[in-house]
Amino acid sequence: MSREVRHARYPFFSAAREAVRAADLSLFGLVDRDAPAVERARERVERALTAGTTAPEEPDRWDPTDDLLSYPIARILVSLLDDGTAVKKYAAAEAATAAERFETDFASDDDGLRSVERVGVTREEVLEEFGIDAEPELESERRRASRGRGWYRVALETYLTYSDPDWGDDWRLVNREVAAGRVRIEQAELDRLVEEAVRRRVAEGLPFDVRERNPDLADALEPTLASVRQLLTAGHAPTSGVGVVEPSLFPPCVKALLERSRGGERLSPESRFALTAFLVAIGLDGETIASVAGVDEEAATTQVEFLRDREGVQYPSPSCATMQAYGDCVNRDDRCERITHPLSYYKTAIEANDAGAAGPVETAEASDER
């Protein structure tokens, strides 16, 4: 059982992929009979796109086999979306989820908490899995208990392969200590290289042409794909550009979500995404969103960072059609009948409010002149 759990936790490991191949299961058969792995795959992709994680919302809901089999199906769904942003978000979410699990596993290993049925992995196993050549500094290892940090010497090739110049000046080779073909880095930095290695492995080969390889499978996945596609409203989400934050003019759906969130209700992942994406689009940062919505600031800031890529481009907030699909399109008014996106509602409301405010002022001024 421990092996199955480990495969489910790290489905991109070579052993896990081999286990799927050895099972010789028909993915079409799984989809055709609507197996639990299909629903988990849908959740996997939707959580990746909306929350930056592929961890299940309810951890105990899925057995290890369903969780493992959901990974290849999720890759098929992402490929069928044929959207570069979705691929990037999905791979980053799988890597971020793995990084959190690695951290837990490594901490357990350091504490000597080894069970007979080990489901976690050691740092050494992960480094070997990705061919990352890193050696701990022995002196630093002896001081780790007092300093809480460790140092490693990573092969120059490994460092250049997995580090990204966009991570900041600290990662530039000229700012590193290099000796005998190895780069000195902290343990936390090594973990970041590992996360990048996971991201690249997940992204490798995505998207692929599912319809050309298996048109029947693509057709069978259409109902599941339709749900995921609703998250991809790129090209339909108007840019905000309003420069105004006036909650009283928010669309009814956003007002309702805010009220539920401030009341302490735990929103569904889709609803949380819809609310946060709207607030990000009108210019709010994580701290402000946390205050307005009554949520944890760290969680809000993390999602804000996830919703914007490194160029600052925002992942689009859901359209009215998507809000309807979520069940969050409520308290519709007359303006709702004339728009197709919550941001359009808000911009129209701002413009109408400004026009209404300008009228009386102009009339008063004219009266004074007379």
Side-chain angles (χ1 to χ4, degrees):
M1 183 64 178
S2 59
R3 181 178 301 177
E4 287 77 6
V5 173
R6 183 188 289 202
H7 291 340
R9 284 168 62 83
Y10 306 116
F12 43 80
F13 273 23
S14 301
R17 293 188 295 183
E18 182 57 38
V20 172
R21 283 193 292 267
D24 197 25
L25 293 171
S26 166
L27 292 181
F28 176 80
L30 292 173
V31 175
D32 190 50
R33 68 173 185 269
D34 197 23
V38 180
E39 174 65 14
R40 171 68 180 114
R42 180 197 63 78
E43 180 197 42
R44 195 177 199 108
V45 176
E46 290 190 349
R47 292 267 286 161
L49 299 181
T50 63
T53 181
T54 57
E57 182 77 4
E58 303 174 49
D60 298 330
R61 180 180 176 185
W62 312 101
D63 70 34
T65 299
D66 293 330
D67 212 359
L68 172 61
L69 293 176
S70 74
Y71 178 70
I73 298 174
R75 289 175 61 84
I76 293 172
L77 288 173
V78 171
S79 294
L80 286 169
L81 287 173
D82 195 22
D83 181 278
T85 300
V87 170
K88 186 169 89 170
K89 296 287 188 184
Y90 174 71
E94 287 282 9
T97 304
E100 291 181 357
R101 291 172 175 172
F102 288 152
E103 183 178 3
T104 300
D105 289 353
F106 298 165
S108 297
D109 184 58
D110 288 343
D111 292 339
L113 302 178
R114 297 174 180 269
S115 63
V116 176
E117 287 196 326
R118 182 180 178 83
V119 298
V121 292
T122 65
R123 192 185 304 276
E124 290 71 24
E125 288 172 329
V126 173
L127 296 178
E128 182 178 359
E129 171 71 27
F130 292 98
I132 294 177
D133 185 354
E135 299 175 350
E137 287 190 345
L138 297 181
E139 181 182 358
S140 180
E141 287 290 301
R142 288 195 297 268
R143 294 196 305 250
R144 179 179 298 178
S146 60
R147 293 198 173 189
R149 61 197 293 187
W151 289 89
Y152 282 78
R153 295 279 180 174
V154 178
L156 180 60
E157 182 180 0
T158 294
Y159 186 86
L160 294 176
T161 297
Y162 292 115
S163 63
D164 190 325
D166 289 336
W167 292 351
D169 288 342
D170 286 348
W171 287 89
R172 296 182 60 188
L173 200 58
V174 294
N175 296 324
R176 290 288 174 173
E177 179 184 327
V178 182
R182 291 187 173 273
V183 184
R184 189 172 189 255
I185 64 174
E186 291 187 37
Q187 179 177 290
E189 293 170 330
L190 175 61
D191 292 343
R192 190 168 189 184
L193 294 180
V194 170
E195 182 175 348
E196 175 63 12
V198 175
R199 188 196 66 78
R200 294 190 190 187
R201 178 174 290 186
V202 172
E204 185 178 0
L206 292 178
F208 54 90
D209 195 336
V210 182
R211 295 195 178 279
E212 180 176 334
R213 296 186 188 183
N214 196 329
D216 291 338
L217 178 59
D219 290 341
L221 278 171
E222 259 315 310
T224 304
L225 190 65
S227 172
V228 180
R229 276 205 183 104
Q230 291 170 347
L231 299 178
L232 299 176
T233 56
H236 299 90
T239 56
S240 177
V242 293
V244 176
V245 178
E246 180 49 69
S248 66
L249 300 178
F250 285 173
C253 56
V254 175
K255 286 181 179 178
L257 288 175
L258 272 176
E259 184 176 350
R260 290 165 58 192
S261 181
R262 284 198 296 258
E265 179 179 341
R266 182 174 181 178
L267 301 179
S268 69
E270 294 81 7
S271 297
R272 288 201 305 272
F273 166 71
L275 176 59
T276 306
F278 177 89
L279 296 176
V280 169
I282 65 172
L284 272 62
D285 58 18
E287 181 180 358
T288 307
I289 290 174
S291 175
V292 169
V295 296
D296 177 74
E297 182 178 336
E298 183 177 354
T301 300
T302 298
Q303 190 162 36
V304 168
E305 293 173 350
F306 171 74
L307 286 169
R308 289 197 179 108
D309 62 22
R310 61 181 53 157
E311 286 80 32
V313 178
Q314 184 220 338
Y315 201 64
S317 60
S319 65
C320 291
T322 301
M323 296 295 282
Q324 291 174 16
Y326 288 168
D328 288 329
C329 180
V330 296
N331 306 328
R332 292 173 62 89
D333 59 20
D334 292 341
R335 182 172 286 119
C336 292
E337 303 299 328
R338 304 191 299 272
I339 53 92
T340 60
H341 201 284
L343 285 174
S344 295
Y345 181 108
Y346 185 52
K347 289 190 349 185
T348 303
I350 291 289
E351 291 166 359
N353 186 67
D354 288 346
V361 172
E362 293 174 356
T363 301
E365 289 174 349
S367 178
D368 289 341
E369 289 174 0
R370 290 194 297 271

